Amino acid sequence: MLYSFRRCPYAMRARLGLIAAGQSVVVREILLKNKPQEMLALSPKGTVPVMQLAGGRVLDESLDILFWALAQADPHSLLPQNPEEENLISTLIATNDRAFKPLLDRYKYFDRYPEFSQQSYFEQALEYLLPLEQRLAEAQGQQEQAMLLGRMSAADLAIFPFVRQFAHVDRARFNAAPLPCLNQWLQAWLEHPWFIRAMKPKPLWLESGEQQPL
């Protein structure tokens, strides 16, 4: 059972992993401004996603849910295939979460962070997207749709929701940036059946009492 908020990139990451792994999950859709006591009892830190497994174990970090799901089943070979891939996936995700995401927040909510302009935050964050652009450019021609490891992997699922959020702050500004391959990658994921399924609207659990399959 998964507590989720549709627009949260961390919750998107978890949902994508669960869908890719074919896991059977029911979703309790919430609003972050009205957090259920049942969720807070499982995870007092009060952030989504929060998942309770059938045996009662609680996972309340998006990466834990993503990699737990793929450990149960990985029909699309998204997990690393060797130590080199393991290190690369770990590095890409860590850079996204620890360096890019704080700048994304400052770019999106620039009025809360007056130290720099919104354009400056965009340019600072761009420095972390350019290496992704280079990776995708190098992968082009090797496959129909370039992916971060040269093949679809957990890195794509983990990073895509944050690039999506960054792009949607100002799509014209993003489209004008020197990121043609990343833009193609983003569009491919926006149109991917997993993402379409992950983003299907669900009624709020506290209002309706409904929990629906993912």
Side-chain angles (χ1 to χ4, degrees), residues 92 95-96 99-101 103-104 119-135 166 174 177-179 182:
L92 288 171
T95 300
N96 177 84
F100 175 70
K101 181 58 165 66
L103 289 169
L104 162 58
Q119 178 64 26
S120 177
Y121 285 124
F122 176 85
E123 292 170 358
Q124 292 176 57
L126 188 62
E127 293 302 310
Y128 292 100
L129 296 182
L130 291 172
L132 302 184
E133 170 70 19
Q134 182 62 34
R135 296 196 63 82
F166 182 77
F174 182 83
L179 302 169
L182 192 69

Side-chain angles (χ1 to χ4, degrees), residues 50-68:
V50 176
M51 188 169 74
Q52 186 173 32
L53 305 182
R57 180 184 171 199
V58 174
L59 303 177
D60 63 0
E61 295 288 346
S62 61
L63 287 178
D64 291 343
I65 295 173
L66 169 65
F67 285 108
W68 173 87

Side-chain angles (χ1 to χ4, degrees), residues 129-198:
L129 296 182
L130 291 172
L132 302 184
E133 170 70 19
Q134 182 62 34
R135 296 196 63 82
L136 293 169
E138 292 172 356
Q140 275 193 341
Q142 301 176 20
Q143 54 189 330
E144 184 175 349
Q145 173 58 55
M147 294 290 166
L148 293 175
L149 262 67
R151 64 174 184 85
M152 188 185 294
S153 74
D156 298 288
L157 269 64
I159 293 171
F160 154 68
F162 300 88
V163 176
R164 171 191 176 274
Q165 188 179 57
F166 182 77
H168 280 51
V169 174
D170 185 333
R171 195 59 195 260
R173 180 183 280 163
F174 182 83
N175 289 347
L179 302 169
C181 297
L182 192 69
N183 220 320
Q184 292 176 19
W185 173 85
L186 173 63
Q187 192 59 39
W189 276 108
L190 291 172
E191 298 171 1
H192 199 286
W194 294 348
F195 181 66
I196 293 171
R197 179 178 165 189

